[in-house]
Structure formats: C-alpha cells, structure tokens
C-alpha cells in the first residue's frame, strides 16, 4: 500500500464508533504493514481506539515509546507528560509493560518518565513501578554517539522558557488529543509562560485533573483491557480517543 492508502485506511479506523467495530475493521487488513507505515503519533492515535492484534501490537508499543521519548526531548517533560498520560490511559497493562521495557532497553526510561510525577504514580497504582524496568547494560560507543547527537536539543527539556511549541508537529498533536488533554496542555503552557512554578509542580497540579475523578479498576487492567475508569462523579467510562 502507498502512504496515501495508509492514511485513508487510518481514517476509516478513526471513524469507528466502538472498540468492537475497531476490532472488526482489522480483519483482512495487514495491521503490521499499516502500523509500520504510520508515524509515531498516528500509531498512538490508532492504538487509542482499542486493542490491536498481535504482532502489530508489539510494533505499536515501540512507536508509543518512541513518541514519548521524542516529546520529552523536543517539548520538555511538563508538556510531554500530557501525551504520556494519553498513552497510559489508552493502553492495557500488557501494552504498557512493553512500552516501559522498550524505553529501558534504549536507556531512556528515566530520562523520559523520571520527572513525570503523575505518570509515575499512576503506573505505580497499576503495579508498574519504574523500578521494575531497569535500564540495559551500558554500551559505551553506542550511548556516547547517541548522546552527542541529542546534545543540541538537551536544553529544551531543562528550560521551561524553551519548552513550548518547539517541535514542528506539536500544535497538530495537541489539536488531535481529546478535549480534556487539550485543556491540560493549555494550562501547562500558560503556567510555563508565567514561570509561576517549577515545571514539575506545574504538571502535577494541572494533570491531577486528568484522572477525571476516577479510580482505576486494577482487576480489569490485569486482564489487559484498557479504559477501565470507574466514575465517582459521573465521569465517562469510554476509552480516551484522539480526535
């Protein structure tokens, strides 16, 4: 299939109205070929619709990990945490294990999620503490070369003044998030500009609202079913879907 055909097929999936329809649409489709042809963000949007059949799911989780790493590197941890929460809320426990293992294998787990207090706490509550996913052993030549390549963007992730809107596709990704995540990003942007708090405090205060007054049903997550958010104040039980 061409890139255009991939995009048209993705649009059909994004138009699905339920996880069951999403699963039905996968029949007869080369999902590995489709996911492989999508950029990281498009793959994440696809995965938010429902469970993706194996072995495409493994490739999808690699792209989820890649997106999180890119968001932190290009936009900074405060803004990236909103996208990390979207990935977390739209992934099963099994999927998140693969995402965390992929980050740890690339020696990026700490640098990607280490400063995200809300994400770390939600992972802990789901039985997925970061401490359970140690980084691989050092590969001096490979790791030094990668560090040199990324050194030019390192200041972005440590300076709140430089975090907002640094990546070319940031605005597009923001517009395609569900509205609660868009609102959270806007609040984080405002707080970063005002320089009222440290980035970590800003994120924690704003992103606590993304629990939507819900408590997570750990028994359902253990069965590998995403979207098990039990409302305590009339919150929606639907899986977060990208626009």
């Amino acid at each position: 299939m061409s890139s255009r055909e991939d995009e048209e097929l993705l649009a059909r999936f994004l138009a699905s109205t339920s996880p069951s329809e999403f699963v039905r649409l996968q029949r007869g489709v080369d999902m590995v070929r489709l996911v492989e042809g999508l950029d990281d963000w498009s793959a994440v949007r696809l995965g938010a619709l429902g469970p993706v059949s194996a072995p495409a799911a493994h490739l999808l989780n690699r792209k989820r990990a890649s997106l999180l790493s890119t968001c932190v590197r290009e936009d900074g941890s405060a803004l990236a945490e909103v996208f990390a929460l979207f990935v977390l809320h739209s992934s099963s426990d099994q999927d998140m294990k693969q995402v965390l293992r992929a980050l740890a294998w690339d020696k990026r787990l700490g640098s990607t999620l280490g400063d995200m207090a809300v994400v770390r706490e939600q992972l802990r509550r789901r039985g997925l503490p970061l401490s359970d996913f140690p980084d691989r052993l050092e590969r001096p030549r490979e790791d030094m070369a990668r560090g040199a390549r990324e050194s030019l963007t390192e200041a972005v992730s440590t300076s709140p003044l430089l975090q907002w809107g640094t990546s070319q596709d940031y605005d597009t990704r923001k517009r395609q998030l569900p509205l609660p995540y868009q609102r959270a990003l806007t609040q984080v942007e405002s707080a970063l500009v005002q320089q009222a708090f440290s980035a970590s405090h800003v994120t924690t205060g704003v992103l606590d609202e993304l629990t939507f007054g819900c408590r997570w049903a750990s028994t359902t997550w253990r069965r590998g079913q995403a979207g098990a958010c039990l409302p305590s104040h009339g919150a929606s039980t639907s899986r977060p879907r990208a626009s």
Side-chain angles (χ1 to χ4, degrees), residues 17-152:
T17 58
S18 68
S20 59
E21 182 182 359
F22 175 70
V23 171
R24 181 182 60 79
L25 286 172
Q26 294 182 56
R27 297 169 186 162
V29 174
D30 186 345
M31 292 301 293
V32 172
R33 169 68 179 82
L34 173 62
V35 174
E36 189 175 42
L38 296 175
D39 62 78
D40 293 346
W41 173 237
S42 295
V44 166
R45 293 172 67 203
L46 178 72
L49 301 174
V52 174
S53 58
H58 180 74
L59 179 57
L60 169 61
N61 290 327
R62 289 288 308 182
K63 295 204 170 202
R64 282 170 165 151
S66 176
L67 175 80
L68 295 180
S69 179
T70 299
C71 287
V72 170
R73 187 171 65 253
E74 296 185 352
D75 302 325
S77 292
L79 296 172
E81 187 161 16
V82 179
F83 293 99
L85 284 169
F86 177 64
V87 170
L88 177 60
H89 295 164
S90 59
S91 303
S92 69
D93 280 356
Q94 189 59 39
D95 285 331
M96 281 310 304
K97 286 179 181 177
Q98 290 187 14
V99 172
L100 296 175
R101 286 172 184 150
L103 288 169
W105 181 254
D106 288 339
K107 294 187 71 64
R108 297 182 187 272
L109 185 58
S111 61
T112 300
L113 303 182
D115 291 334
M116 300 182 181
V118 178
V119 168
R120 292 200 320 269
E121 176 59 18
Q122 291 198 16
L123 284 169
R124 185 191 65 80
R125 291 180 181 180
R126 287 173 57 176
L128 299 169
L130 297 191
S131 58
D132 284 357
F133 301 88
D135 284 349
R136 61 163 169 78
L137 297 177
E138 293 283 348
R139 295 176 180 169
R141 290 186 178 180
E142 177 182 329
D143 295 338
M144 288 178 64
R146 185 178 70 184
R149 289 194 302 270
E150 297 177 356
S151 61
L152 292 177

Side-chain angles (χ1 to χ4, degrees), residues 40 54 69 151 154 156 165 168 221:
D40 293 346
S69 179
S151 61
E154 194 171 278
V156 170
Q168 294 181 348
W221 282 106

Side-chain angles (χ1 to χ4, degrees), residues 207-241:
L207 301 188
D208 278 341
E209 298 178 7
L210 281 180
T211 61
F212 308 113
C214 299
R215 59 184 177 86
W216 297 97
S218 59
T219 54
T220 304
W221 282 106
R222 282 196 293 270
R223 291 198 300 271
Q225 300 173 2
C229 180
L230 304 183
S232 56
H233 299 290
S236 171
T237 60
S238 61
R239 185 186 180 103
R241 294 167 58 99

